[in-house]
Amino acid sequence: MERMKNLFRSVAVAAVVVLGTQSLSAQQKIGHVNADEIFQMTPEFKTANDQLKTLNDTKTKELQGMYEEYQKKQNDANEKLRNRSEANKATVDAELQTLGQELQNIEQRIQEVQRVAQEDLGKKQQELLAPIQTKVMNAINAVAKEKGYAYVLDTSSGSVIYFQGGEDISADVKAKLGISANATPVTPAVPTN
C-alpha cells in the first residue's frame, strides 16, 4: 500500500512538472529579426563601406598599373621575337632572356601585392565592421530583454528554415539604433565574411 502511495506521488509530481514545463514554454515569447539587413542600414556601415571601397579601389589601381607594365613588356618581347633574324639572333635572344626575367619578377610582385591587398582588406574589414556587429547585437539583446523575449531568431543567417508567428522586432532594433523606418541596406563594396 505504501508503495502504491509513493508511486502515485511520483506520477503526480511528474505530471505537475510536465504540465508546468508545457505551460511555461507556451508563455515564452519568440521574435525574429534580419540582423544583416539592419547591420547594412546603420550609418556606421555606410561609412565603413565607403572606406573599404576606397581601399579596394586603391589596391585595384595599383594592380592595374602592374598588369599594364607586364603587358607592355610582354608586347615588347613579342615584337622582338617577330623581328628576330639570323643577323640579330644573338642580340635579340639576350634581350628576350632579360625581358623574360623581368616578366617573371613582375609576376612575383603582382602575386605579392595581391596577397598583401587581400590581407589589408581583411584586416580593415574586421577593424571597421566588428564594432558595428557588436552594436547591432547589443541593440537586439536590449530589445529582446525589454520586450521579454525568450528567443530571437536571426532570419538572415540561413539557419532558420521556417518560421511562422513570433514577432518581428526589426523595427524596434532599428529604432534603438536610430535608423529610420524607411532606410534601405547599403550593398557591401567588399564581400563580408
Side-chain angles (χ1 to χ4, degrees), residues 2-78:
E2 191 65 38
R3 282 185 96 174
M4 287 291 263
K5 283 183 183 179
N6 286 339
L7 181 61
F8 180 73
R9 283 184 197 159
S10 297
V11 170
V13 169
V16 168
V17 169
V18 168
L19 290 174
T21 303
Q22 285 178 345
S23 80
L24 245 180
S25 65
Q27 294 173 2
Q28 291 181 335
K29 289 173 66 174
I30 298 174
H32 57 88
V33 66
N34 185 328
D36 284 350
E37 183 178 271
I38 292 171
F39 176 79
Q40 292 172 2
M41 288 179 177
T42 62
E44 296 90 347
F45 179 78
K46 181 176 179 352
T47 302
N49 195 49
D50 291 345
Q51 289 178 22
L52 289 170
K53 184 178 181 335
T54 300
L55 180 61
N56 190 45
D57 290 349
T58 301
K59 299 293 184 180
T60 299
K61 283 179 185 175
E62 182 181 356
L63 283 166
Q64 283 175 338
M66 295 176 81
Y67 287 131
E68 288 170 8
E69 178 186 359
Y70 182 86
Q71 191 64 43
K72 183 180 179 299
K73 292 218 183 267
Q74 183 70 45
N75 290 342
D76 289 349
N78 289 339

Side-chain angles (χ1 to χ4, degrees), residues 6 21 48 51 72 83 85 118 137-138 149 170 175:
N6 286 339
T21 303
Q51 289 178 22
K72 183 180 179 299
N83 294 326
S85 65
Q118 286 176 340
M137 289 308 299
N138 288 343
Y149 289 98
S170 298

Side-chain angles (χ1 to χ4, degrees), residues 115-126:
R115 185 189 64 74
V116 169
Q118 286 176 340
E119 284 179 9
D120 289 350
L121 276 170
K123 286 177 187 175
K124 192 66 168 177
Q125 190 174 24
Q126 179 63 24

Side-chain angles (χ1 to χ4, degrees), residues 119-185:
E119 284 179 9
D120 289 350
L121 276 170
K123 286 177 187 175
K124 192 66 168 177
Q125 190 174 24
Q126 179 63 24
E127 172 189 320
L128 294 173
L129 300 183
I132 303 168
Q133 288 172 327
T134 300
K135 181 179 178 179
V136 169
M137 289 308 299
N138 288 343
I140 291 170
N141 290 337
V143 168
K145 285 179 185 171
E146 289 168 10
K147 301 269 185 177
Y149 289 98
Y151 301 97
V152 174
L153 306 174
D154 182 1
T155 58
S156 65
S157 68
S159 59
V160 178
I161 297 181
Y162 175 81
F163 72 94
Q164 182 175 352
E167 189 174 329
D168 186 353
I169 64 170
S170 298
D172 295 322
V173 175
K174 289 176 194 175
K176 172 94 46 205
L177 291 167
I179 299 171
S180 77
N182 59 355
T184 56

